[in-house]
Amino acid sequence: GQQLNQSPQSMFIQEGEDVSMNCTSSSIFNTWLWYKQEPGEGPVLLIALYKAGELTSNGRLTAQFGITRKDSFLNISASIPSDVGIYFCAGQGAAGNNRKLIWGLGTSLAVNP
Amino acid sequence: SAVISQKPSRDICQRGTSLTIQCQVDSQVTMMFWYRQQPGQSLTLIATANQGSEATYESGFVIDKFPISRPNLTFSTLTVSNMSPEDSSIYLCSVERDSYGYTFGSGTRLTVV
């Protein structure tokens, strides 16, 4: 099925560093979602974006809905060890079959204390 | 956001047997979604379960292999039938709640031996 292009695939950083990851799509979306998944758990919603150009923060996390509606990025500032996990983007269209979530392949983040 | 209880959390099963996974939501929802996440991979939608009607399956998934029940607005089951090692995955149920995006259960980690 359709998937989003998410990059980077993995990151290994030092505690305190900033992190940036992004997703791109060939299709226009009405909603962009960013999730984090830790081992043994289901994905947990971090940030939801509903409007092109929207910039939303959740603590040290900031995400933006691209103006073309075909991309989004997630930034994590001043990373800490508990930021470790896999981050997924997901896009959603407007109606009907397009309302199904389309998922990125994930960005695996490792933080060295 | 919705609270989803999923069980079992993990199981090791013999090939050829079947496993039924339960998903309980703390409030009524119209649609419930079942996903598969193979090791190290992103999420793949198996089917959408509406109360009172047959589930809608995605390409590559069939009812005989993954029968789904949806007896009421807070509960659903997914059965993985006639299992083979290729069915070893994490199975996740999810619901969509207005303003909260999609919420996921903690998943069922299935190993088929």
Side-chain angles (χ1 to χ4, degrees), chain A:
Chain A
Q2 182 185 359
Q3 284 180 320
L4 303 176
N5 296 315
Q6 184 173 348
S7 65
Q9 183 177 355
S10 62
M11 303 181 73
F12 187 87
I13 62 172
Q14 293 295 123
E15 183 176 0
E17 289 184 1
D18 296 343
V19 172
S20 184
M21 59 193 78
N22 71 86
C23 277
T24 60
S25 168
S26 57
S27 305
I28 289 173
F29 288 125
N30 281 22
T31 302
W32 281 95
L33 305 170
W34 284 93
Y35 286 86
K36 178 187 178 186
Q37 186 176 27
E38 298 184 20
E41 298 294 327
V44 175
L45 182 65
L46 299 174
I47 293 179
L49 302 160
Y50 299 106
K51 194 166 64 172
E54 179 181 356
L55 183 73
T56 297
S57 294
N58 177 8
R60 293 178 295 106
L61 278 62
T62 302
Q64 185 158 31
F65 193 140
I67 197 71
T68 66
R69 295 168 61 194
K70 291 183 177 182
D71 64 302
S72 178
F73 71 73
L74 174 70
N75 288 342
I76 305 173
S77 63
S79 59
I80 58 178
S82 62
D83 290 332
V84 166
I86 302 176
Y87 292 79
F88 290 100
C89 62
Q92 185 180 41
N97 207 43
N98 292 328
R99 293 261 319 152
K100 287 186 298 186
L101 290 183
I102 308 300
W103 292 84
L105 295 179
T107 296
S108 178
L109 178 63
V111 179
N112 191 28

Side-chain angles (χ1 to χ4, degrees), chain A residues 3 33 35 37 39-45 48 50 86 88 92 97 99-101 103-106, chain B residues 10 35 37 40-45 48 58 90 92 96 99-107 109:
Chain A
Q3 284 180 320
L33 305 170
Y35 286 86
Q37 186 176 27
E41 298 294 327
V44 175
L45 182 65
Y50 299 106
I86 302 176
F88 290 100
Q92 185 180 41
N97 207 43
R99 293 261 319 152
K100 287 186 298 186
L101 290 183
W103 292 84
L105 295 179
Chain B
R10 60 178 61 233
Y35 284 86
Q37 186 177 28
Q41 301 296 315
S42 187
L43 284 74
T44 300
L45 182 64
T48 302
E58 298 300 307
I90 300 171
L92 296 148
E96 183 182 16
S99 302
Y100 295 112
Y102 288 78
T103 303
F104 287 82
S106 56
R109 185 178 296 271

Side-chain angles (χ1 to χ4, degrees), chain B residues 11-17 83-85 88 110-113:
Chain B
D11 208 341
I12 301 174
C13 299
Q14 296 290 323
R15 68 179 65 198
T17 63
M83 289 184 284
S84 67
S88 298
L110 171 63
T111 303
V112 183
V113 298

